[in-house]
Amino acid sequence: MPSGQYDFVVVANRLPVDRVGTAEDGSPQYETSPGGLVTALAPVMTAHRGAWVGWPGAPGEAGEPFDSEGMHLVPVELSHEDVEDYYEGMSNGTLWPLFHDVIVAPEYHRSWWDAYERVNQRFADAAAAQAAQGATVWVQDYQLLLVPARLRALRPDLKIGFFNHIPFPGYEIFSQLPWRSQVVEGVLGADLVGFQRRGDAANFLRACRRLGDASTKGGTISVAGGRTVRAGAFPISIDSRGFEELASAPEVMARAEQIRKELGDPDTVLLGVDRLDYTKGIRHRLTCFSELLADGRLGTESAVLVQVASPSRERVRAYSDLRDEVELTVGRINGDHGTVGFQPVHYLHQSFPREEMAALYLAADVMLVTALRDGMNLVAKEYVAARHDSDGVLVLSEFAGAADELTQAVLINPHDIAGTKAAVLRAVQMPRDERRRRMRALRRRVVEHDVERWAAGFLDALAGHADQPDAG
Ligand code: G6P
């Protein structure tokens, strides 16, 4: 296969831009959607000749590759049927719930699998066409588990990395997947496989031993044909300094004060920020808050919960069901505990710009991250980065990858409602000295381990410059 001209190619389900419409001449119009990944990779992309292969986020004609901010963007087209079967179906109706410990039941449909194979091949073809001889290709996340092997088949000259942003489940759960062997073989096309936690890497290594024609020693997997693949933990992070700077801007700090005023100057502002996803434990959080109000342990009119739930995967049934349940529960709590002119839960089913998020973090005394299962949870890290005043308390689920690093948070098991209620109260009542001590320790970790360090750590290991990755 002829090679392309890009030395560094990122392959992700989404491009770092969203398709927002169609110009008069019929060509697609795009808007940048600055995520954490692009912030980390943009410098690498501009330093080398970088290309990004991904879906523009809407079905239908994707248009030609184009250059934007020093990157070559290569749109991969998905038809309406591909979106239904590959994205909403196999990715978000099968793999997402399976990899998050079957919080909702995964569905197994052969037609979804066929679409997943077809679309993964399309991504592999597009990446193969862009990559220069001997280039580095970094494949991202669970939507593209088959890309590494398919890309290697087309282009054995490439260095291929794969990073799984979400958890990797234990074998007892993973083995439900009718296509489990194909998935393991797909990932093993990479030279280096990265996970968020050591536990995820250990689960993957076990799946390799059970399913692949492979043996493992530490984090090294020997596959048929004499090739070796390495697997390890590379916990992702955020642009910590960028976030801290944003939260230090006078307008953002003024906005934080204004938010508290608009909420009626309560004693305590609690905050939840999530995509509206069943993995985030939003219902558990609402149950705790409502019981604390009912018990009288949090005073009505003295404590407010702001819940930002950004719209996500709305055409997938489990997500629309969750939305109904959350909105019913919020309505009940406000009906039971509100007064004229005051409501205890401020629910916002919207996405906000980064400035507004930073202001919300600064305004919040207690941040509630109650995920039932989460690869990392970057909201926890954003809250910490925003708190340049070294105040605020992070309540953090043990089931989020961030708990491995953010050990000075108040750690909870969100399934334990009594324990979580006690932890929330402890956070609300925590003396100032203890709050500062914990927040300072959290900040040290988040500022030192930022997303740039994450990307550099992975790419160094892929290039063979780093030591053996941390495989637990
Ligand atoms: C998680 C996944 C990402 C995904 C994001 C948003 O963070 O790990 O791969 O892009 O959710 O979900 P969406 O389906 O809207 O891309």
Side-chain angles (χ1 to χ4, degrees):
M1 173 155 193
S3 51
Q5 51 174 316
Y6 294 92
D7 296 321
F8 179 58
V9 181
V10 172
V11 192
N13 180 52
R14 284 184 184 272
L15 278 179
V17 294
D18 281 325
R19 170 142 192 205
V20 289
T22 310
E24 274 178 15
D25 65 358
S27 61
Q29 286 175 315
Y30 292 103
E31 205 170 70
T32 49
S33 55
L37 198 58
V38 66
T39 317
L41 297 179
V44 192
M45 298 283 244
T46 39
H48 305 82
R49 276 172 302 175
W52 188 307
V53 175
W55 173 51
E61 214 203 311
E64 291 305 309
F66 58 101
D67 290 324
S68 160
E69 298 175 21
M71 286 183 276
H72 185 64
L73 303 187
V74 183
V76 173
E77 190 166 309
L78 297 189
S79 66
H80 282 276
E81 196 190 343
D82 294 334
V83 173
E84 269 174 34
D85 293 348
Y86 148 79
Y87 171 70
E88 291 161 358
M90 191 66 201
S91 296
N92 292 311
T94 307
L95 295 170
W96 179 270
L98 182 74
F99 280 35
H100 287 86
D101 286 357
V102 302
I103 297 169
V104 310
E107 290 180 42
Y108 303 112
H109 297 298
R110 284 163 287 180
S111 56
W112 289 1
W113 173 254
D114 293 344
Y116 188 81
E117 285 198 292
R118 175 174 81 229
V119 173
N120 270 247
Q121 185 65 48
R122 196 176 304 155
F123 274 86
D125 291 342
Q130 298 299 327
Q133 191 65 27
T136 294
V137 181
W138 194 359
V139 182
Q140 312 286 330
D141 229 355
Y142 66 100
Q143 303 93 341
L144 302 177
L145 294 164
L146 307 181
V147 169
R150 287 172 185 239
L151 187 55
R152 180 169 299 281
L154 293 167
R155 293 287 306 276
D157 59 297
L158 301 176
K159 234 184 210 332
I160 303 172
F162 177 80
F163 187 77
N164 197 58
H165 291 252
I166 69 173
F168 196 90
Y171 186 71
E172 289 68 19
I173 288 177
F174 180 69
S175 57
Q176 284 186 14
L177 185 67
W179 311 282
R180 57 197 190 187
S181 301
Q182 290 98 309
V183 161
V184 167
E185 276 164 30
V187 173
L188 286 176
D191 296 292
L192 177 66
V193 184
F195 295 93
Q196 303 283 21
R197 309 178 93 156
R198 296 167 77 178
D200 297 317
N203 286 341
F204 176 70
L205 289 164
R206 178 147 178 255
C208 290
R209 287 193 296 274
R210 295 293 300 262
L211 295 170
D213 186 6
S215 62
T216 72
K217 186 161 184 256
T220 301
I221 308 148
S222 306
V223 296
R227 219 165 49 81
T228 57
V229 179
R230 288 170 306 143
F234 297 85
I236 201 169
S237 190
I238 58 164
D239 174 16
S240 313
R241 280 179 210 287
F243 217 86
E244 176 179 15
E245 262 167 45
L246 184 72
S248 308
E251 316 80 77
V252 170
M253 291 170 63
R255 173 67 187 139
E257 273 179 37
Q258 189 191 11
I259 289 172
R260 287 193 76 107
K261 256 195 216 106
E262 284 173 2
L263 292 171
D265 268 326
D267 296 337
T268 308
V269 175
L270 301 120
L271 176 66
V273 173
D274 312 87
R275 273 186 312 102
L276 187 45
D277 194 298
Y278 49 81
T279 57
K280 304 292 182 181
I282 300 172
R283 284 172 303 179
H284 295 63
R285 188 180 313 162
L286 289 171
T287 301
C288 288
F289 183 64
S290 114
E291 286 193 14
L292 285 168
L293 292 174
D295 301 344
R297 288 197 280 170
L298 279 181
T300 305
E301 302 210 8
S302 70
V304 164
L305 170 64
V306 178
Q307 176 64 54
V308 176
S310 49
S312 186
R313 305 175 191 165
E314 291 188 283
R315 285 158 39 97
V316 178
R317 183 61 186 274
Y319 289 76
S320 52
D321 286 352
L322 174 72
R323 179 173 177 192
D324 290 346
E325 260 187 80
V326 165
E327 294 182 355
L328 186 78
T329 310
V330 168
R332 279 211 180 123
I333 301 174
N334 284 338
D336 287 347
H337 301 286
T339 57
V340 174
F342 177 82
Q343 51 181 32
V345 184
H346 290 250
Y347 167 76
L348 302 156
H349 183 246
Q350 299 163 45
S351 301
F352 293 99
R354 277 158 50 86
E355 290 76 10
E356 182 73 356
M357 294 315 304
L360 277 166
Y361 292 140
L362 281 178
D365 303 294
V366 176
M367 179 82 215
L368 300 173
V369 176
T370 56
L372 305 176
R373 187 48 89 192
D374 207 334
M376 175 53 64
N377 196 288
L378 294 178
V379 162
K381 292 188 173 179
E382 286 179 0
Y383 180 66
V384 169
R387 296 313 300 242
H388 51 80
D389 57 354
S390 295
D391 207 345
V393 184
L394 174 63
V395 174
L396 175 62
S397 167
E398 290 165 22
F399 299 104
D404 280 1
E405 296 172 80
L406 303 184
T407 52
Q408 287 298 311
V410 176
L411 294 177
I412 54 150
N413 167 5
H415 297 283
D416 171 8
I417 297 293
T420 302
K421 284 167 68 183
V424 171
L425 269 189
R426 185 170 162 220
V428 168
Q429 293 161 357
M430 189 178 285
R432 189 153 185 273
D433 281 356
E434 186 182 348
R435 297 202 302 262
R436 292 178 72 83
R437 188 167 46 71
R438 286 172 178 266
M439 187 51 81
R440 285 206 177 111
L442 293 171
R443 289 179 57 73
R444 271 197 296 279
R445 174 76 203 186
V446 172
V447 170
E448 275 167 29
H449 294 257
D450 65 357
V451 72
E452 207 183 308
R453 184 164 168 173
W454 166 76
F458 185 91
L459 292 172
D460 278 356
L462 180 57
H465 297 151
D467 296 339
Q468 185 64 19
D470 185 3

